[in-house]
Amino acid sequence: MNWANDSSSKGFILLGFSDSPWLQMPLFVVLLISYTFTIFGNVSIMVVCFQDPKLHTPMYFFLANLSILDLCYTTTTVPHMLANIFLNKKTISYSGCVAQLIIFLALGATECLLLAVMSFDRFVAICRPLHYIVIMNRWLCLRMAAFSWLTGFSNSVLQSSLTLNMPRCGHREVDHFFCEVPALLKLSCADTKPIEAELFFFSVLILLIPVTLILISYGFIAQAVLKIRSSEGRRKAFGTCGSHMVVVSLFYGTAIYMYLQPPSSTSKDWGKMVSLFYGIITPMLNPLIYSLRNKDIKEAFKRVMEMVELYLPALSESNPAI
């Protein structure tokens, strides 16, 4: 990366909704509530997936990975946004912007791949149920999860390098809440079309190929489910996939809108709202979607709460100070 670029010593100014100051307090409240629910929801999913032996299956292993990812995803941007709004600041250091850009891109790309892996897991479970345990063995699950994370971070380093090496000619005002590729490209004082073409190519690989594989998987799943004679069997099969499809639709729909079109064609305020949705609202909704529609998660959560209720009285008896 070109660390000697003109903004490296001064950092950046994040404008956000500077032209609408009346939005600052409502936005602060929304961010705070969303982040609180994101932490509680994703930590709850992680706890029940790791603590309950009945959830030690490939499906919930990938779901726990998704919760870890979503928790890190929001933590990359939201605390800094909350601090800036609360302290009425708009600045971010160059190193902070670089870290934010790399981590945000990496986790976003990882989620794209992880959602595709989860669809493959559902394909094997429904279309190859007798071979599920053999195919989705522990090492394959670990390799697929590791591939998703490593590919996501590799893609992020590449796209971040291309973005940050563009000359900015002293431009420091980022018309966004955080450091994101489309907003940073708009600071460039050079022709960005060649870089946009390269970034578009990598975005197609990370976004369109996984979503195509997801659609193919669910095409085979739909065929298999329609062959099930009992309505109860069809309902159960669709139920295990419904939550995943809702998450895929929310995440991919907004991400494709942001990254598969030139930055110059993106409406300024609309682009910010879309980024807030897939970067903050979607990670908050994911645990709600999975827990509300998933009987196993709800039962596991009840079992964990029962264990806590049994543990607390014993702890208070052994330690009277509690």
Side-chain angles (χ1 to χ4, degrees):
M1 296 181 187
N2 184 8
W3 296 97
N5 210 329
D6 38 40
S7 303
S8 59
S9 60
K10 299 178 182 179
F12 295 97
I13 299 172
L14 301 172
L15 297 180
F17 284 123
S18 297
D19 53 349
S20 303
W22 60 273
L23 279 175
Q24 299 300 311
M25 187 51 63
L27 180 61
F28 180 85
V29 173
V30 170
L31 288 176
L32 183 60
I33 293 174
S34 300
Y35 189 51
T36 302
F37 276 101
T38 299
I39 294 174
F40 176 78
N42 285 290
V43 168
S44 298
I45 295 287
M46 290 159 53
V47 169
V48 297
C49 286
F50 287 123
Q51 290 294 324
D52 197 306
K54 292 185 178 180
L55 299 186
H56 292 175
T57 64
M59 175 182 175
Y60 296 106
F61 168 73
F62 295 127
L63 180 57
N65 270 264
L66 183 64
S67 292
I68 294 171
L69 190 151
D70 282 340
L71 190 59
C72 297
Y73 199 48
T74 52
T75 302
T76 303
T77 56
V78 176
H80 187 270
M81 292 165 63
L82 288 171
N84 275 8
I85 295 174
F86 183 76
L87 299 174
N88 198 25
K89 291 173 56 180
K90 300 176 183 177
T91 59
I92 184 171
S93 65
Y94 183 79
S95 58
C97 183
V98 171
Q100 198 175 74
L101 177 66
I102 291 176
I103 296 173
F104 190 80
L105 269 177
L107 296 177
T110 302
E111 182 156 353
C112 291
L113 298 169
L114 193 60
L115 290 173
V117 168
M118 294 173 74
S119 71
F120 175 74
D121 172 70
R122 292 300 84 207
F123 162 76
V124 177
I126 293 175
C127 299
R128 301 289 187 273
L130 298 180
H131 303 92
Y132 180 75
I133 297 178
V134 176
I135 296 174
M136 299 300 296
N137 59 75
R138 179 183 178 184
W139 290 112
L140 178 63
C141 294
L142 289 173
R143 285 197 294 267
M144 289 194 296
F147 172 80
S148 300
W149 286 90
L150 290 174
T151 304
F153 274 87
S154 299
N155 170 76
S156 173
V157 170
L158 186 57
Q159 290 205 38
S160 299
S161 299
L162 293 172
T163 303
L164 293 168
N165 274 324
M166 293 296 293
R168 292 180 288 275
C169 302
H171 298 161
R172 299 174 53 223
E173 294 186 345
V174 180
D175 196 8
H176 213 303
F177 297 102
F178 53 90
C179 294
E180 194 175 23
V181 170
L184 289 174
L185 283 180
K186 291 179 180 179
L187 298 183
S188 178
C189 54
D191 182 14
T192 61
K193 290 183 180 179
I195 297 298
E196 287 177 15
E198 294 182 52
L199 294 175
F200 180 83
F201 172 75
F202 291 117
S203 297
V204 167
L205 293 180
I206 294 296
L207 286 168
L208 291 190
I209 291 180
V211 80
T212 300
L213 295 175
I214 291 172
L215 293 175
I216 292 173
S217 296
Y218 277 100
F220 284 112
I221 289 172
Q223 289 181 345
V225 170
L226 292 176
K227 293 179 182 178
I228 299 176
R229 295 184 177 181
S230 68
S231 58
E232 177 65 21
R234 288 195 299 270
R235 186 193 64 79
K236 185 176 180 180
F238 276 124
T240 60
C241 303
S243 300
H244 183 252
M245 284 303 297
V246 172
V247 171
V248 166
S249 300
L250 290 174
F251 181 80
Y252 274 100
T254 51
I256 287 173
Y257 174 86
M258 281 299 298
Y259 285 92
L260 292 188
Q261 61 176 324
S264 57
S265 67
T266 305
S267 170
K268 181 177 67 173
D269 291 338
W270 182 244
K272 296 175 189 177
M273 297 306 296
V274 171
S275 295
L276 285 176
F277 189 85
Y278 75 76
I280 298 166
I281 304 300
T282 300
M284 178 193 70
L285 295 177
N286 285 353
L288 292 175
I289 293 169
Y290 278 107
S291 61
L292 291 176
R293 293 178 58 88
N294 192 300
K295 182 180 177 181
D296 293 337
I297 289 288
K298 289 187 284 188
E299 291 179 351
F301 188 73
K302 289 179 182 178
R303 288 192 291 269
V304 170
M305 293 305 296
E306 289 173 357
M307 291 176 59
V308 172
E309 290 175 359
L310 291 173
Y311 176 74
L312 286 178
L315 182 64
S316 60
E317 290 176 3
S318 61
N319 188 356
I322 299 180

